Amino acid sequence: MHSVMWKQAVEWLAAAATDPQECKREWDHGKGTALLAAGRYWDVLSVPDRLGLLALDILWRDPAKAPGPTLVDVTARRVGFFLPPDPVSEWVGFGVRHVGRGSWVAVPPPYRPAGRLEWLVPPDGTGALHSPGPLELALRRATGTLAVLAPVNAEAAAPGW
């Protein structure tokens, strides 16, 4: 059963490539990442890692709904939430980037990390994505939490403490 899920996840992700077979070869025998077109099957909302990790934790608290595919770039310190394509949406926030049609996203295979990229929540092959409404609420809550923590962190870093 588990291998069927991974196969479906590979096929689902590779479908966003200009050449799905080449994409799968790159995952298995190349650098381990492939550039996939955003905006057709999914968009990506990229946020700073502290915000994204906290928002993902908030999303996990709803036992009725597992979060959608979520990717982390450990070098760039960014978290990417895969959500339905929406060419007219406007996501606003410090460090928030909406990646849609006309953009490309470096993606590792769903079954292992590749270099600096790793799935926090790998795709399950069903096409399930983050719902924009709950994701926005989680990001707002995470922003509020980080705003409260920022003054505490600034005091802790002050000289003489």
Side-chain angles (χ1 to χ4, degrees):
M1 177 73 170
H2 197 66
S3 64
V4 171
M5 182 188 80
W6 289 124
K7 182 171 176 35
Q8 289 173 333
V10 166
E11 296 301 325
W12 179 78
L13 272 176
T18 53
D19 181 347
Q21 293 303 322
E22 179 59 29
C23 171
K24 291 185 269 188
R25 277 192 294 278
E26 190 63 32
W27 282 339
D28 290 338
H29 306 293
K31 294 181 180 179
T33 60
L35 285 177
L36 303 182
R40 183 172 170 202
Y41 298 113
W42 38 259
D43 286 356
V44 176
L45 188 68
S46 173
V47 301
D49 62 349
R50 289 184 68 210
L51 176 62
L53 294 172
L54 187 52
L56 184 60
D57 184 58
I58 291 166
L59 290 167
W60 272 116
R61 293 178 190 166
D62 182 356
K65 177 127 175 69
T70 308
L71 191 61
V72 65
D73 182 327
V74 295
T75 304
R77 300 185 62 177
R78 304 212 40 100
V79 172
F81 297 94
F82 283 59
L83 61 157
D86 184 357
V88 297
S89 70
E90 293 186 26
W91 291 82
V92 179
F94 179 76
V96 174
R97 300 179 196 141
H98 180 236
V99 181
R101 187 169 296 281
S103 300
W104 297 85
V105 179
V107 178
Y111 48 83
R112 68 172 168 81
R116 60 194 255 180
L117 300 171
E118 183 175 345
W119 289 102
L120 297 172
V121 181
D124 62 8
T126 67
L129 298 165
H130 284 278
S131 296
L135 177 57
E136 181 180 6
L137 290 174
L139 288 167
R140 286 178 187 267
R141 286 185 60 198
T143 298
T145 299
L146 291 174
V148 169
L149 293 177
V152 173
N153 289 341
E155 289 174 12
W161 289 100

Short mmCIF file of all heavy atoms in Angstrom, two decimals, residues 102-141:
data_model
loop_
_atom_site.label_atom_id
_atom_site.label_comp_id
_atom_site.label_asym_id
_atom_site.label_seq_id
_atom_site.Cartn_x
_atom_site.Cartn_y
_atom_site.Cartn_z
N GLY A 102 3.90 30.82 -14.76
CA GLY A 102 5.08 31.49 -15.29
C GLY A 102 6.31 31.33 -14.43
O GLY A 102 7.38 31.81 -14.77
N SER A 103 6.18 30.64 -13.29
CA SER A 103 7.31 30.43 -12.37
C SER A 103 7.65 28.95 -12.30
O SER A 103 6.82 28.08 -12.61
CB SER A 103 6.95 30.93 -10.98
OG SER A 103 6.66 32.30 -11.01
N TRP A 104 8.84 28.69 -11.86
CA TRP A 104 9.32 27.32 -11.72
C TRP A 104 9.75 27.09 -10.28
O TRP A 104 10.27 28.00 -9.63
CB TRP A 104 10.50 27.07 -12.66
CG TRP A 104 10.10 27.20 -14.08
CD1 TRP A 104 10.04 28.35 -14.82
CD2 TRP A 104 9.65 26.17 -14.94
NE1 TRP A 104 9.58 28.08 -16.09
CE2 TRP A 104 9.34 26.75 -16.20
CE3 TRP A 104 9.47 24.79 -14.78
CZ2 TRP A 104 8.88 26.00 -17.26
CZ3 TRP A 104 9.02 24.05 -15.86
CH2 TRP A 104 8.72 24.66 -17.08
N VAL A 105 9.55 25.87 -9.81
CA VAL A 105 9.89 25.51 -8.43
C VAL A 105 10.80 24.28 -8.45
O VAL A 105 10.47 23.28 -9.11
CB VAL A 105 8.61 25.20 -7.61
CG1 VAL A 105 8.97 24.81 -6.19
CG2 VAL A 105 7.67 26.40 -7.63
N ALA A 106 11.93 24.36 -7.76
CA ALA A 106 12.80 23.19 -7.61
C ALA A 106 12.16 22.26 -6.59
O ALA A 106 11.82 22.68 -5.49
CB ALA A 106 14.19 23.62 -7.15
N VAL A 107 12.00 20.99 -6.98
CA VAL A 107 11.27 20.04 -6.15
C VAL A 107 12.03 18.71 -6.09
O VAL A 107 12.43 18.18 -7.12
CB VAL A 107 9.85 19.80 -6.74
CG1 VAL A 107 9.09 18.78 -5.93
CG2 VAL A 107 9.08 21.10 -6.81
N PRO A 108 12.22 18.17 -4.89
CA PRO A 108 12.81 16.84 -4.76
C PRO A 108 11.72 15.79 -4.97
O PRO A 108 10.53 16.11 -4.97
CB PRO A 108 13.31 16.82 -3.32
CG PRO A 108 12.32 17.66 -2.59
CD PRO A 108 11.93 18.75 -3.57
N PRO A 109 12.11 14.52 -5.09
CA PRO A 109 11.09 13.49 -5.17
C PRO A 109 10.35 13.39 -3.84
O PRO A 109 10.89 13.79 -2.80
CB PRO A 109 11.88 12.22 -5.47
CG PRO A 109 13.24 12.48 -4.93
CD PRO A 109 13.46 13.96 -5.10
N PRO A 110 9.14 12.86 -3.84
CA PRO A 110 8.38 12.81 -2.58
C PRO A 110 8.91 11.80 -1.58
O PRO A 110 8.52 11.82 -0.43
CB PRO A 110 6.97 12.44 -3.05
CG PRO A 110 7.16 11.77 -4.35
CD PRO A 110 8.37 12.39 -4.98
N TYR A 111 9.83 10.95 -2.00
CA TYR A 111 10.27 9.85 -1.14
C TYR A 111 11.62 10.07 -0.46
O TYR A 111 12.07 9.23 0.30
CB TYR A 111 10.31 8.54 -1.93
CG TYR A 111 11.01 8.65 -3.26
CD1 TYR A 111 12.38 8.56 -3.36
CD2 TYR A 111 10.27 8.86 -4.42
CE1 TYR A 111 13.02 8.67 -4.58
CE2 TYR A 111 10.88 8.96 -5.64
CZ TYR A 111 12.26 8.87 -5.72
OH TYR A 111 12.89 8.99 -6.93
N ARG A 112 12.29 11.23 -0.73
CA ARG A 112 13.56 11.51 -0.05
C ARG A 112 13.95 12.97 -0.22
O ARG A 112 13.54 13.62 -1.17
CB ARG A 112 14.66 10.61 -0.58
CG ARG A 112 15.06 10.88 -2.00
CD ARG A 112 16.30 10.08 -2.40
NE ARG A 112 16.51 10.12 -3.82
CZ ARG A 112 17.09 11.14 -4.46
NH1 ARG A 112 17.53 12.17 -3.80
NH2 ARG A 112 17.24 11.11 -5.77
N PRO A 113 14.78 13.48 0.70
CA PRO A 113 15.27 14.85 0.53
C PRO A 113 16.34 14.88 -0.57
O PRO A 113 16.92 13.84 -0.93
CB PRO A 113 15.89 15.18 1.89
CG PRO A 113 16.14 13.88 2.55
CD PRO A 113 15.21 12.88 1.94
N ALA A 114 16.58 16.06 -1.10
CA ALA A 114 17.63 16.23 -2.12
C ALA A 114 18.34 17.54 -1.83
O ALA A 114 17.79 18.62 -2.03
CB ALA A 114 17.02 16.24 -3.52
N GLY A 115 19.56 17.43 -1.31
CA GLY A 115 20.32 18.64 -1.00
C GLY A 115 19.63 19.48 0.04
O GLY A 115 19.30 19.01 1.12
N ARG A 116 19.34 20.70 -0.33
CA ARG A 116 18.76 21.65 0.61
C ARG A 116 17.24 21.56 0.70
O ARG A 116 16.62 22.23 1.51
CB ARG A 116 19.18 23.05 0.23
CG ARG A 116 18.71 23.44 -1.18
CD ARG A 116 19.39 24.66 -1.71
NE ARG A 116 18.51 25.80 -1.68
CZ ARG A 116 18.86 27.00 -2.09
NH1 ARG A 116 20.07 27.22 -2.53
NH2 ARG A 116 18.01 27.99 -2.03
N LEU A 117 16.61 20.74 -0.15
CA LEU A 117 15.15 20.63 -0.20
C LEU A 117 14.65 19.35 0.44
O LEU A 117 15.19 18.27 0.19
CB LEU A 117 14.67 20.69 -1.66
CG LEU A 117 15.03 21.96 -2.42
CD1 LEU A 117 14.70 21.80 -3.88
CD2 LEU A 117 14.29 23.15 -1.82
N GLU A 118 13.59 19.50 1.24
CA GLU A 118 13.03 18.34 1.93
C GLU A 118 11.53 18.55 2.13
O GLU A 118 11.08 19.66 2.43
CB GLU A 118 13.71 18.18 3.28
CG GLU A 118 13.27 16.99 4.06
CD GLU A 118 14.08 16.81 5.34
OE1 GLU A 118 15.15 17.42 5.49
OE2 GLU A 118 13.61 16.05 6.19
N TRP A 119 10.78 17.48 1.96
CA TRP A 119 9.34 17.55 2.20
C TRP A 119 9.07 17.47 3.69
O TRP A 119 9.48 16.51 4.35
CB TRP A 119 8.61 16.42 1.49
CG TRP A 119 8.58 16.57 0.01
CD1 TRP A 119 9.37 15.91 -0.90
CD2 TRP A 119 7.74 17.44 -0.74
NE1 TRP A 119 9.06 16.34 -2.16
CE2 TRP A 119 8.06 17.28 -2.09
CE3 TRP A 119 6.76 18.36 -0.39
CZ2 TRP A 119 7.43 17.99 -3.11
CZ3 TRP A 119 6.12 19.06 -1.39
CH2 TRP A 119 6.46 18.88 -2.74
N LEU A 120 8.37 18.46 4.24
CA LEU A 120 7.87 18.36 5.61
C LEU A 120 6.59 17.54 5.60
O LEU A 120 6.33 16.75 6.51
CB LEU A 120 7.60 19.75 6.19
CG LEU A 120 8.83 20.65 6.32
CD1 LEU A 120 8.42 22.06 6.72
CD2 LEU A 120 9.79 20.06 7.34
N VAL A 121 5.77 17.76 4.58
CA VAL A 121 4.57 16.96 4.32
C VAL A 121 4.64 16.61 2.84
O VAL A 121 4.40 17.46 1.98
CB VAL A 121 3.27 17.73 4.62
CG1 VAL A 121 2.05 16.85 4.35
CG2 VAL A 121 3.24 18.26 6.04
N PRO A 122 5.01 15.37 2.51
CA PRO A 122 5.10 15.02 1.10
C PRO A 122 3.71 14.90 0.47
O PRO A 122 2.72 14.65 1.17
CB PRO A 122 5.81 13.66 1.11
CG PRO A 122 5.57 13.11 2.45
CD PRO A 122 5.39 14.27 3.38
N PRO A 123 3.62 15.10 -0.85
CA PRO A 123 2.33 14.89 -1.50
C PRO A 123 1.93 13.43 -1.37
O PRO A 123 2.78 12.54 -1.32
CB PRO A 123 2.60 15.27 -2.96
CG PRO A 123 4.08 15.23 -3.11
CD PRO A 123 4.68 15.44 -1.76
N ASP A 124 0.62 13.20 -1.31
CA ASP A 124 0.14 11.82 -1.15
C ASP A 124 -0.32 11.20 -2.47
O ASP A 124 -0.75 10.06 -2.51
CB ASP A 124 -0.98 11.75 -0.12
CG ASP A 124 -2.20 12.56 -0.51
OD1 ASP A 124 -2.27 13.06 -1.65
OD2 ASP A 124 -3.10 12.69 0.34
N GLY A 125 -0.25 11.97 -3.56
CA GLY A 125 -0.63 11.45 -4.86
C GLY A 125 -2.09 11.64 -5.21
O GLY A 125 -2.49 11.36 -6.33
N THR A 126 -2.89 12.13 -4.28
CA THR A 126 -4.31 12.32 -4.55
C THR A 126 -4.59 13.70 -5.15
O THR A 126 -5.71 13.95 -5.60
CB THR A 126 -5.15 12.19 -3.27
OG1 THR A 126 -4.83 13.28 -2.39
CG2 THR A 126 -4.93 10.85 -2.58
N GLY A 127 -3.60 14.57 -5.11
CA GLY A 127 -3.82 15.94 -5.57
C GLY A 127 -4.26 16.86 -4.45
O GLY A 127 -4.55 18.03 -4.68
N ALA A 128 -4.31 16.35 -3.22
CA ALA A 128 -4.70 17.17 -2.07
C ALA A 128 -3.68 18.30 -1.88
O ALA A 128 -2.47 18.08 -1.96
CB ALA A 128 -4.77 16.32 -0.81
N LEU A 129 -4.20 19.49 -1.64
CA LEU A 129 -3.38 20.68 -1.45
C LEU A 129 -3.84 21.41 -0.19
O LEU A 129 -4.86 21.05 0.40
CB LEU A 129 -3.52 21.61 -2.66
CG LEU A 129 -3.07 21.05 -4.00
CD1 LEU A 129 -3.60 21.89 -5.15
CD2 LEU A 129 -1.56 20.96 -4.05
N HIS A 130 -3.09 22.41 0.20
CA HIS A 130 -3.52 23.26 1.31
C HIS A 130 -4.75 24.05 0.87
O HIS A 130 -4.80 24.54 -0.26
CB HIS A 130 -2.43 24.26 1.71
CG HIS A 130 -1.33 23.65 2.50
ND1 HIS A 130 -1.43 23.43 3.86
CD2 HIS A 130 -0.11 23.21 2.14
CE1 HIS A 130 -0.31 22.89 4.29
NE2 HIS A 130 0.50 22.74 3.26
N SER A 131 -5.70 24.20 1.75
CA SER A 131 -6.84 25.07 1.50
C SER A 131 -6.42 26.49 1.85
O SER A 131 -5.88 26.72 2.94
CB SER A 131 -8.04 24.66 2.35
OG SER A 131 -8.47 23.38 2.00
N PRO A 132 -6.65 27.45 0.96
CA PRO A 132 -6.19 28.82 1.23
C PRO A 132 -6.73 29.43 2.52
O PRO A 132 -6.00 30.10 3.24
CB PRO A 132 -6.67 29.61 0.00
CG PRO A 132 -6.76 28.58 -1.08
CD PRO A 132 -7.20 27.32 -0.40
N GLY A 133 -8.01 29.21 2.83
CA GLY A 133 -8.59 29.81 4.04
C GLY A 133 -7.90 29.37 5.32
O GLY A 133 -7.41 30.21 6.10
N PRO A 134 -7.84 28.06 5.60
CA PRO A 134 -7.15 27.61 6.81
C PRO A 134 -5.66 27.97 6.82
O PRO A 134 -5.12 28.30 7.87
CB PRO A 134 -7.33 26.09 6.78
CG PRO A 134 -8.59 25.87 5.99
CD PRO A 134 -8.58 26.96 4.96
N LEU A 135 -5.03 27.97 5.64
CA LEU A 135 -3.61 28.36 5.59
C LEU A 135 -3.46 29.83 5.98
O LEU A 135 -2.58 30.18 6.76
CB LEU A 135 -3.04 28.11 4.19
CG LEU A 135 -1.58 28.55 3.99
CD1 LEU A 135 -0.65 27.88 5.00
CD2 LEU A 135 -1.15 28.26 2.56
N GLU A 136 -4.33 30.69 5.46
CA GLU A 136 -4.25 32.11 5.81
C GLU A 136 -4.46 32.32 7.31
O GLU A 136 -3.72 33.08 7.95
CB GLU A 136 -5.29 32.91 5.03
CG GLU A 136 -5.23 34.39 5.35
CD GLU A 136 -6.25 35.22 4.60
OE1 GLU A 136 -7.10 34.67 3.89
OE2 GLU A 136 -6.18 36.46 4.74
N LEU A 137 -5.44 31.62 7.90
CA LEU A 137 -5.67 31.75 9.34
C LEU A 137 -4.46 31.28 10.14
O LEU A 137 -4.07 31.91 11.13
CB LEU A 137 -6.92 30.97 9.75
CG LEU A 137 -8.25 31.54 9.26
CD1 LEU A 137 -9.40 30.59 9.61
CD2 LEU A 137 -8.49 32.92 9.86
N ALA A 138 -3.87 30.16 9.73
CA ALA A 138 -2.69 29.65 10.44
C ALA A 138 -1.53 30.64 10.33
O ALA A 138 -0.80 30.86 11.31
CB ALA A 138 -2.29 28.28 9.88
N LEU A 139 -1.34 31.24 9.16
CA LEU A 139 -0.27 32.22 9.00
C LEU A 139 -0.53 33.47 9.85
O LEU A 139 0.40 34.03 10.43
CB LEU A 139 -0.11 32.59 7.53
CG LEU A 139 0.51 31.51 6.65
CD1 LEU A 139 0.33 31.84 5.17
CD2 LEU A 139 1.98 31.31 6.99
N ARG A 140 -1.78 33.88 9.95
CA ARG A 140 -2.11 35.04 10.79
C ARG A 140 -1.82 34.73 12.26
O ARG A 140 -1.25 35.55 12.98
CB ARG A 140 -3.57 35.44 10.62
CG ARG A 140 -3.86 36.13 9.32
CD ARG A 140 -5.36 36.46 9.20
NE ARG A 140 -5.69 36.97 7.91
CZ ARG A 140 -5.72 38.26 7.61
NH1 ARG A 140 -5.45 39.16 8.53
NH2 ARG A 140 -6.03 38.65 6.39
N ARG A 141 -2.24 33.54 12.71
CA ARG A 141 -1.97 33.16 14.11
C ARG A 141 -0.47 33.06 14.36
O ARG A 141 0.02 33.51 15.40
CB ARG A 141 -2.65 31.83 14.44
CG ARG A 141 -4.15 31.97 14.59
CD ARG A 141 -4.82 30.70 15.02
NE ARG A 141 -4.31 30.23 16.30
CZ ARG A 141 -4.46 28.98 16.74
NH1 ARG A 141 -5.12 28.09 16.01
NH2 ARG A 141 -3.98 28.61 17.91
#
